[in-house]
Amino acid sequence: MKIVVISGGISHERDISLRSGRRVADALADAGHEVHVLEPDPQLLSRIESLAPAAIVPMVHGASGEDGSLLALLELAGRPYLGSSAQSARLAWSKPAARDRIAECGVAVPEGFVLTRESFRELSAQSILQLLGSTVRFPLVVKPGSGGSSQGVSIVADATGLARALVEAFTYADVALCERWIPGNEVAVSVWRDEVGLRALPPVEIAPQDGIYDFEARYNAGETTFFIPARLEPTAIAALGDAAVRVHRELGLGDFSRVDFIVDDAGTPWFLEANVIPGFTETSLFPLALGGADLTLTEAFDRAVRAVTERAH
Amino acid sequence: MAERGGTSLDPWLHHYAARTAGLSASEVRALFAVASRPEVVSLAGGMPFVSALPQEFVMSALERTMRNHGAAALQYGSGQGTERLREHILDVMALEGISASIDNVVVTTGSQQAVDLVAKLFLDPGDVVLAEAPSYVGALGVFRSYEAEVVHIEVDDDGLVPEALQARIASVRAEGRRIKFLYTIPNFHNPAGVTLSAARRPEILAICRANDILILEDNPYGLLWFDHAAPDALRSIEEDGVIYLGSFSKTFAAGFRVGWALAPHAIREKLVLASESAILSPSVFSQTVIAEYLDAVDWRAQIDTFRGLYRERRDAMVTALDDFLPDIRHTHPGGGFFVWLDLPEELDSKAMLPRAVKELVAYTPGTAFFADGNGRQNIRLSFCYPSAEQIRVGVRRLATVLSAERELLETFRGTGDLRSRSNDQRTTTPPPDVV
């Protein structure tokens, strides 16, 4: 089959996207497909039109890829693609909107609040920070309201670090999400749709060498130890899988997603975020989870693109 | 390979040499990937504008290389480089007042390899290299790989400050540390854009001579002057205490990867042996093409063409900075590729880079050019590759970024320390098209 993989873009996750795209393209080529890797540039739509691929695999991380805008164009063009609908991607991209929706479906969500850059501009930052200092329980996790790869994320131990963390988050987005920091293990659960339906792949526990799963810990092999499946009781693993599939369904996501949780000492999975187009690089979590389920990237993507084309007919 | 049930995704993790500790991907390096997109005006790259080199010159040199020297050009060669090219190199260095023997010239794979060879010969773990503050990122990476420590010396508009050099030598020695050499870029400095004045050159040489410190003079930009020629090279004044590095990357084409070292004879012997053990011989093909070019073309006129092109771009950069960022101090380079910006204390060039990329402009944060974590209040802008129009657009976008950042910081003014927001102290080594 003729397949188009789209990767790159101009977000700060471009390099990661290019690597994810190449890896997926290689996997599909190994399955015997004719694969074209395209950039989301001014020629993209005409190239897709002329190539007329049987399926498209969008692998653009960050804004334009994961915020649903590129997916909306593929929908308008009537091109079958692997992944989630534009509408569901939009919902997942907004971390505040996604967490509100998830809270309604019975999955634990850390208590939190949303701050906008605009409100700090209009009201006095000093007074807002004073209010937060006297009312909020620390430690907090402060993160941009959208985006990935942990960029702009800070853990704030007390009120003195809050302003700096907010400035850091506002560097990446005009909305910041502040959530209570939950002590526990960070675990990623990849959700994959196969012939039977949605299934949660074995959860991947993340143990960064320096304790923080930041950009460097994500993309430098050796800086993080991964446990597949996570070192949890079978009941906790089952609860994680159940929570991930519920999140996936609640957000209306499609063929795959990666849902990130913190699992506390009691075994409760706390929702952090859902990734519509997770990374597929050599150090990414999704391929590890596929491996944990004895699936290779080639097998998984070959079956997935075949399912996309069948769905289109 | 499993590690008690876990995997680090690198089965050789515990096998690496300790000196490789800094070799890791960083967020800043990932951001440079965006600079290659046409929508982005990249003021980050240090790539020479090779399109200004008429292709027919190169085609004809290639053709003559294969027709007249095919078998030899495709073969291994001397570890020291071909005699023919070394003769030409003497002519090039004569333009900067250097007189030398071809016996003391060692051709290398770009002058970057020469930096590596000198470091390999002289540096033991813990040794100190003195360098300007800031210094060339590619050299800092080499010194780090040999586990040396770089101690930066203050520069001003006239280059390296002799009094600061003297004081640093004394303080480093008082701490019982061993200084191996001074690494300096005297002309149109990368990244600072300044040139060591003629008056200071003998002073710097005298200080190093008196303190028994070798000088590594890196001079890739010396012939690319705009207003008036750079003062004669340090090596033109002092032979025994200076290793001089030159390059064809900026005056011809970087793709051939040919540079050289001119060294005192005893050092030269060791450089040749070290180079042979690293690469056997520099590319004979590249050396022959360059020699053919230098034989057949008025290469001095071509350097004039490059000067005119880069002068126009320097002017565009300086004018745009004065127009859009009138309160930001910047250097006014008399040659080379780079302008260096001093930001107000509250701004952090490394933290701002994601916002700049979002606004479709890329620059190199000052942190890349320091081995000690400094440089957050600095930006290096390059004017060598983008057109004058693109430079103006890029600087305007940068002004928007700085304005937004200042507004954000103004919003939070008085709420605590907002600086040094990233804990990442890793050196932000950019990729080769950026250094």
Side-chain angles (χ1 to χ4, degrees):
Chain A
M1 279 194 295
K2 196 185 284 182
I3 310 286
V4 160
V5 173
I6 309 174
S7 67
I10 51 174
S11 85
H12 47 262
E13 292 177 79
R14 171 184 172 78
D15 198 36
I16 310 304
S17 167
L18 288 171
R19 282 196 270 157
S20 291
R22 273 195 295 271
R23 197 136 185 262
V24 169
D26 288 348
L28 285 164
D30 285 347
H33 298 292
E34 176 190 333
V35 186
H36 299 260
V37 180
L38 303 182
E39 275 259 9
D41 60 15
Q43 286 77 47
L44 177 70
L45 295 177
S46 59
R47 292 287 308 279
I48 289 175
E49 189 64 29
S50 63
L51 284 167
I56 296 172
V57 183
M59 275 290 139
V60 181
H61 305 321
S64 93
E66 291 186 82
D67 67 2
S69 49
L70 175 62
L71 304 180
L73 292 173
L74 297 180
E75 285 171 8
L76 277 171
R79 292 291 169 191
Y81 67 86
L82 184 69
S84 296
S85 70
Q87 189 184 10
S88 63
R90 258 195 313 278
L91 177 59
W93 177 248
S94 167
K95 288 175 187 165
R99 55 171 266 125
D100 288 350
R101 179 68 71 88
I102 299 310
E104 290 168 10
C105 77
V107 173
V109 176
E111 61 183 278
F113 53 92
V114 174
L115 297 168
T116 66
R117 189 174 166 175
E118 195 59 35
S119 61
F120 280 92
R121 201 180 291 141
E122 286 175 1
L123 311 173
S124 144
Q126 195 92 46
S127 60
I128 296 177
L129 289 166
Q130 265 171 14
L131 174 70
L132 296 175
S134 60
T135 54
V136 170
R137 279 171 59 196
F138 290 92
L140 276 182
V141 179
V142 179
K143 54 176 107 167
S146 55
S149 292
S150 290
Q151 286 156 323
V153 179
S154 312
I155 297 172
V156 181
D158 55 43
T160 58
L162 196 50
R164 182 187 297 179
L166 284 165
V167 169
E168 178 80 12
F170 287 139
T171 297
Y172 291 87
D174 287 337
V175 173
L177 172 61
C178 304
E179 290 181 328
R180 184 163 65 85
W181 178 71
I182 308 283
N185 296 329
E186 191 165 347
V187 180
V189 186
S190 300
V191 178
W192 186 253
R193 184 187 297 282
D194 62 14
E195 295 81 353
V196 182
L198 286 176
R199 63 188 280 211
L201 300 176
V204 179
E205 181 185 340
I206 301 151
Q209 229 172 50
D210 297 335
I212 299 170
Y213 193 46
D214 57 10
F215 186 94
E216 283 75 14
R218 279 166 194 257
Y219 299 113
N220 286 296
E223 298 211 4
T224 299
T225 304
F226 303 94
F227 295 90
I228 315 147
R231 296 167 298 176
L232 295 166
E233 295 298 323
T235 49
I237 287 184
L240 262 172
D242 177 59
V245 171
R246 259 194 289 167
V247 167
H248 187 102
R249 284 211 173 98
E250 191 62 29
L251 296 176
L253 300 176
D255 299 307
F256 60 90
S257 70
R258 197 194 74 226
V259 188
D260 299 340
F261 296 95
I262 289 283
V263 180
D264 67 15
D265 291 345
T268 303
W270 295 80
F271 170 76
L272 296 182
E273 63 184 56
N275 300 272
V276 175
I277 303 180
F280 282 90
T281 71
E282 298 87 343
T283 56
S284 294
L285 302 165
F286 208 115
L288 289 176
L290 285 170
D294 293 325
L295 273 170
T296 63
L297 269 188
T298 297
E299 289 164 343
F301 273 88
D302 180 39
R303 278 150 66 177
V305 293
R306 288 181 195 284
V308 168
T309 53
E310 279 164 25
R311 207 159 62 208
H313 290 121
Chain B
M1 184 178 289
E3 295 170 1
R4 282 189 243 158
T7 173
S8 68
L9 300 180
D10 184 354
W12 308 108
L13 181 62
H14 302 297
H15 295 242
Y16 291 115
R19 63 179 176 274
T20 65
L23 298 178
S24 57
S26 73
E27 184 178 349
V28 168
R29 195 178 157 95
L31 282 166
F32 288 126
V34 186
S36 63
R37 282 282 301 224
E39 302 89 332
V40 177
V41 174
S42 177
L43 305 176
M47 289 190 297
F49 191 72
V50 288
S51 301
L53 179 69
Q55 276 198 17
E56 58 269 24
F57 290 176
V58 183
M59 299 279 281
S60 132
L62 285 165
E63 198 267 329
R64 285 194 309 278
T65 295
M66 288 314 296
R67 197 182 53 225
N68 301 332
H69 311 280
L74 298 176
Q75 195 47 277
Y76 294 111
S78 152
Q80 190 168 358
T82 65
E83 274 193 32
R84 186 177 169 209
L85 185 65
R86 284 185 282 136
E87 290 280 5
H88 279 297
I89 286 171
L90 295 189
D91 293 339
V92 175
M93 291 193 296
L95 295 177
E96 308 211 52
I98 296 173
S99 130
S101 153
I102 66 162
D103 286 347
N104 292 337
V105 175
V106 182
V107 178
T108 53
T109 303
S111 59
Q112 182 72 21
Q113 193 213 351
V115 175
D116 186 78
L117 292 176
V118 172
K120 184 182 278 186
L121 290 190
F122 285 95
L123 297 179
D124 288 315
D127 282 346
V128 169
V129 175
L130 303 175
E132 283 113 346
S135 187
Y136 167 53
V137 59
L140 297 181
V142 170
F143 302 148
R144 190 173 52 248
S145 74
Y146 289 98
E147 300 177 83
E149 189 186 338
V150 173
V151 171
H152 290 288
I153 314 288
E154 181 192 347
V155 297
D156 62 17
D157 289 344
D158 286 328
L160 203 56
V161 178
E163 297 75 21
L165 174 63
Q166 182 75 67
R168 271 302 210 189
I169 292 169
S171 66
V172 169
R173 289 202 167 145
E175 291 163 6
R177 293 189 289 167
R178 189 167 54 171
I179 300 169
K180 281 297 178 65
F181 55 80
L182 165 68
Y183 170 77
T184 181
I185 307 160
N187 298 329
F188 318 124
H189 189 273
N190 176 6
V194 297
T195 294
L196 183 65
S197 67
R200 282 187 181 174
R201 294 187 182 221
E203 280 188 77
I204 298 294
L205 286 164
I207 291 169
C208 289
R209 197 182 309 117
N211 287 280
D212 202 21
I213 292 172
L214 182 66
I215 295 176
L216 181 55
E217 178 181 23
D218 194 0
N219 187 29
Y221 307 103
L223 294 176
L224 294 177
W225 48 267
F226 307 146
D227 309 315
H228 48 79
D232 280 350
L234 294 168
R235 170 58 179 72
S236 73
I237 309 170
E238 160 101 31
E239 286 186 24
D240 291 340
V242 179
I243 302 174
Y244 175 91
L245 308 185
S247 172
F248 286 109
S249 293
K250 280 79 181 178
T251 52
F252 179 50
F256 286 103
R257 307 304 304 122
V258 175
W260 68 90
L262 170 66
H265 69 92
I267 297 175
R268 174 259 297 159
E269 277 302 317
K270 289 185 164 48
L271 282 174
V272 172
L273 292 170
S275 183
E276 286 175 357
S277 82
I279 61 165
L280 298 182
S281 70
S283 162
V284 179
F285 182 80
S286 288
Q287 292 178 78
T288 311
V289 174
I290 293 177
E292 286 292 339
Y293 166 81
L294 295 171
D295 267 343
V297 171
D298 184 352
W299 53 271
R300 291 173 184 84
Q302 180 56 37
I303 292 176
D304 257 341
T305 302
F306 281 130
R307 279 186 200 125
L309 176 99
Y310 294 132
R311 183 189 297 115
E312 182 195 328
R313 293 176 180 196
R314 184 275 315 262
D315 290 345
M317 172 71 79
V318 167
T319 304
L321 285 168
D322 291 342
D323 288 349
F324 298 123
L325 291 166
D327 61 333
I328 301 291
R329 187 184 175 279
H330 62 80
T331 52
H332 193 288
F337 286 0
F338 306 109
V339 174
W340 184 246
L341 272 57
D342 291 327
L343 303 181
E345 202 183 342
E346 71 272 16
L347 294 179
D348 181 333
S349 60
K350 192 173 166 189
M352 276 190 319
L353 189 57
R355 185 185 294 282
V357 166
K358 208 170 160 188
E359 293 292 332
L360 305 180
V361 60
Y363 60 80
T364 313
T367 46
F369 308 100
F370 287 87
D372 56 10
N374 281 317
R376 286 182 178 278
Q377 275 72 57
N378 296 105
I379 281 177
R380 186 194 75 176
L381 298 181
S382 64
F383 51 80
C384 46
Y385 200 75
S387 67
E389 294 73 25
Q390 288 171 319
I391 287 170
R392 192 161 176 84
V393 170
V395 173
R396 191 170 59 219
R397 288 177 186 169
L398 179 62
T400 308
V401 175
L402 290 179
S403 164
E405 189 75 1
R406 284 168 141 172
E407 191 195 321
L408 177 60
L409 293 169
E410 186 58 37
T411 303
F412 283 87
R413 185 179 295 281
T415 59
D417 182 14
L418 305 176
R419 289 172 303 159
S420 303
R421 300 199 299 269
S422 168
N423 293 322
D424 177 21
Q425 292 299 317
R426 290 168 214 241
T427 300
T428 46
T429 308
D433 57 347
V434 172
V435 295

